[in-house]
Amino acid sequence: MKKLLSLFIVFAVVFSFSACGVGEDDEYDENSLTIMGKKSDLAKSYMTEIFERYKKTAGKNINIISIEDSEYEVEAERRFSEGNIPDIFMHFNNADLNRFDTEDNFCYLNDEKWVDDLTDSAKAYCTDSDGNLLGLPYWESSVSGCYYNKKIFSELGLKPATNQAEFDVLCDALKSIGYTPICWPADGCSWMVQFGLDPVFADDPSILEKINRNEIKYADIPQVNDMVRWIADAADKGWFGNKYLETGMEDISTVMSSGEAAMIFIWDTWFYTDLQKDGKYSVDDFALMPVFMNTAENGTYEGGNLNMMMVNKNSDKKQEALEFLEFCASSDNYNAAFDGISTVSCFKGQTTNIQSHMVTEASMSLAEYERVSTAATRVVGYSAEEVCSSLNKLFKKEISVSKCIELMDEYRIKEARAQGIENF
């Protein structure tokens, strides 16, 4: 009877994995590592390259648990609740990570051999509030800021801004000449606001602690009020143009490559992967300055958001999983995997990746004003989509600035409660 029960359990586990595409072309192998991630993430060329190199070098198989992107958080949470946790779990260090009880489920990697090879920004991104390294950052890293058309600026005799006042004057000047100062893709794009919020929480950790203990709300933070007011005023002044509410991800390339808009709050890799090649302006025509959204006088940049490989501390294959991370963190292996990939280095020994000229030219400014991604990653209950939804109601004059902030708080608190966060 016990033997039959054991066989049934093995069958059930195999079935539950294969239902989401384990191994893709391979049979599930109960003796091999399991790695869970989003379908699109696991298909990245540097991921498939490192998997194949490991198989060939170590002579071991890997069970790839590939889950549809849109279902990932909910499906992974369900599996964890059933005790069905992979050996290696891929996740960003964002608010959704709170679903998975990092302390009880994952190894802290502070003492691994490869830690000293991480760049400071990559290590900071993967570190929790107690200083513990949660995972190996194995991903493409970008720099988010205000990317501007330097060719247009040169033709008009304009210079990039170095403070908020200069940026506002710059927007006014561009608007008066007939340009859309800032491409703000309000139709579904939701990343812009987190850039403005980063300084609020990165520069004063006590504010982050208080909002995450539900002791204060957005409405209690002056910089948040300043930011939302600035965004509303920018829209009213025409700094986002006339079509920003209908501008989505698929429209940005045309807007920027045609020169319709002079600036955009985005990241460097976008220009290499998404900017159309046959437009009036190419990647060579753009440069980088800080984002100004009335929360940091001298502006801000957001460091890269990185997918981490996290190790299940309760797995019977824990040691093998740690060895896999060590394999990935070898300079020979990561340089082979990231050869020709446009990314800021995550490892000090990374040499084969392409460094954006926009980022390297702004290196001195970046060194002074870059913050680790904080709003989207550390604020409990933060949802970029809900922030976007709140702002769009404001843009349509359905609500006031104060009501917009109140709505942002409502969405955030609702999500925190859904995650069962203490004090909410």
Side-chain angles (χ1 to χ4, degrees):
M1 184 67 182
K2 288 182 179 179
K3 185 176 181 181
L4 286 173
L5 181 60
S6 298
L7 288 172
F8 175 78
I9 292 172
V10 168
F11 174 79
V13 171
V14 171
F15 179 81
S16 68
F17 281 143
S18 61
C20 281
V22 173
E24 298 296 337
D25 298 325
D26 302 317
E27 296 281 337
Y28 174 75
D29 181 357
E30 63 180 359
N31 297 312
S32 298
L33 285 174
T34 55
I35 302 178
M36 180 189 291
K38 292 181 181 178
K39 185 175 182 179
S40 66
D41 291 349
L42 292 166
K44 296 285 188 182
S45 62
Y46 42 85
M47 297 305 301
T48 57
E49 173 66 23
I50 201 65
F51 294 153
E52 288 306 312
R53 286 180 69 86
Y54 178 74
K55 289 178 184 179
K56 291 176 182 177
T57 303
K60 297 179 179 180
N61 190 28
I62 304 172
N63 297 308
I64 302 297
I65 308 172
S66 176
I67 298 176
E68 289 293 338
D69 292 18
S70 61
E71 302 170 7
Y72 190 65
E73 304 297 345
V74 173
E75 175 63 16
E77 187 175 19
R78 182 188 68 78
R79 289 168 177 265
F80 274 57
S81 69
E82 296 172 351
N84 195 357
I85 303 173
D87 303 311
I88 296 173
F89 181 57
M90 293 183 64
H91 205 284
F92 292 85
N93 189 11
N94 58 24
D96 277 319
L97 191 59
N98 290 316
R99 299 170 183 256
F100 303 106
D101 194 352
T102 56
E103 184 176 0
D104 286 343
N105 288 323
F106 300 107
C107 295
Y108 292 146
L109 305 171
N110 309 336
D111 299 323
E112 294 302 302
K113 298 176 183 177
W114 43 262
V115 172
D116 287 342
D117 191 32
L118 296 179
T119 62
D120 290 343
S121 59
K123 183 179 179 182
Y125 177 83
C126 299
T127 301
D128 68 12
S129 57
D130 294 321
N132 294 306
L133 188 66
L134 300 176
L136 171 70
Y138 200 81
W139 202 242
E140 60 192 70
S141 181
S142 57
V143 172
S144 297
C146 179
Y147 288 84
Y148 65 95
N149 190 316
K150 63 182 181 182
K151 198 167 185 179
I152 290 176
F153 274 44
S154 178
E155 291 169 355
L156 299 175
L158 299 174
K159 294 181 179 181
T162 61
N163 57 53
Q164 185 69 52
E166 289 179 3
F167 186 76
D168 291 352
V169 170
L170 188 59
C171 290
D172 266 335
L174 286 163
K175 176 67 170 60
S176 68
I177 300 168
Y179 287 92
T180 295
I182 306 167
C183 175
W184 185 282
D187 185 13
C189 298
S190 56
W191 61 77
M192 297 81 75
V193 174
Q194 70 194 55
F195 305 157
L197 287 175
D198 278 342
V200 177
F201 301 106
D203 295 358
D204 189 345
S206 68
I207 295 178
L208 180 63
E209 291 173 8
K210 288 176 182 177
I211 202 165
N212 283 345
R213 290 197 298 260
N214 202 25
E215 294 174 359
I216 60 172
K217 296 180 171 58
Y218 286 141
D220 301 315
I221 305 172
Q223 300 100 307
V224 175
N225 286 269
D226 293 343
M227 181 194 70
V228 176
R229 169 56 65 192
W230 182 89
I231 293 171
D233 289 346
D236 289 343
K237 292 174 182 176
W239 291 356
F240 302 156
N242 300 319
K243 299 180 292 183
Y244 69 100
L245 285 171
E246 292 79 45
T247 301
M249 186 68 184
E250 70 281 1
D251 305 306
I252 301 174
S253 180
T254 300
V255 172
M256 298 310 298
S257 65
S258 67
E260 178 185 334
M263 300 182 288
I264 184 170
F265 301 153
I266 206 163
W267 50 92
D268 58 305
T269 53
W270 178 88
F271 288 88
Y272 295 90
T273 59
D274 291 74
L275 186 69
Q276 64 188 55
K277 310 302 182 190
D278 56 352
K280 183 178 180 181
Y281 299 101
S282 70
V283 62
D284 294 332
D285 296 315
F286 290 87
L288 173 62
M289 65 174 157
V291 166
F292 294 96
M293 227 178 289
N294 212 28
T295 56
E297 177 61 24
N298 299 115
T300 185
Y301 303 95
E302 183 186 63
N305 290 285
L306 305 172
N307 220 339
M308 306 181 295
M309 292 186 187
M310 306 173 68
V311 173
N312 178 356
K313 68 189 293 184
N314 304 305
S315 168
D316 59 2
K317 299 184 183 68
K318 180 178 75 171
Q319 187 56 41
E320 187 177 346
L322 291 170
E323 290 170 2
F324 176 78
L325 264 60
E326 187 174 341
F327 178 87
C328 294
S330 159
S331 60
D332 286 345
N333 293 325
Y334 63 64
N335 274 317
F338 284 91
D339 188 15
I341 301 295
S342 177
T343 174
V344 173
S345 298
C346 288
F347 301 94
K348 295 173 183 175
Q350 204 163 350
T351 58
T352 58
N353 53 308
I354 300 170
Q355 294 277 12
S356 162
H357 72 273
M358 299 175 287
V359 171
T360 55
E361 289 167 4
S363 59
M364 290 182 65
S365 179
L366 274 164
E368 191 166 2
Y369 301 118
E370 183 181 20
R371 275 94 172 173
V372 65
S373 178
T374 305
T377 63
R378 308 286 171 85
V379 175
V380 168
Y382 185 87
S383 166
E385 290 74 20
E386 299 295 9
V387 171
C388 174
S389 173
S390 302
L391 282 172
N392 283 358
K393 292 179 183 295
L394 175 63
F395 292 146
K396 294 173 184 177
K397 308 299 183 184
E398 296 174 3
I399 56 176
S400 64
V401 167
S402 59
K403 182 60 180 177
C404 177
I405 297 170
E406 182 181 329
L407 195 56
M408 287 165 56
D409 272 323
E410 287 178 10
Y411 286 137
R412 178 182 55 80
I413 293 169
K414 180 180 178 181
E415 178 59 29
R417 286 173 177 166
Q419 293 181 19
I421 304 299
E422 189 178 356
N423 297 323
F424 285 88

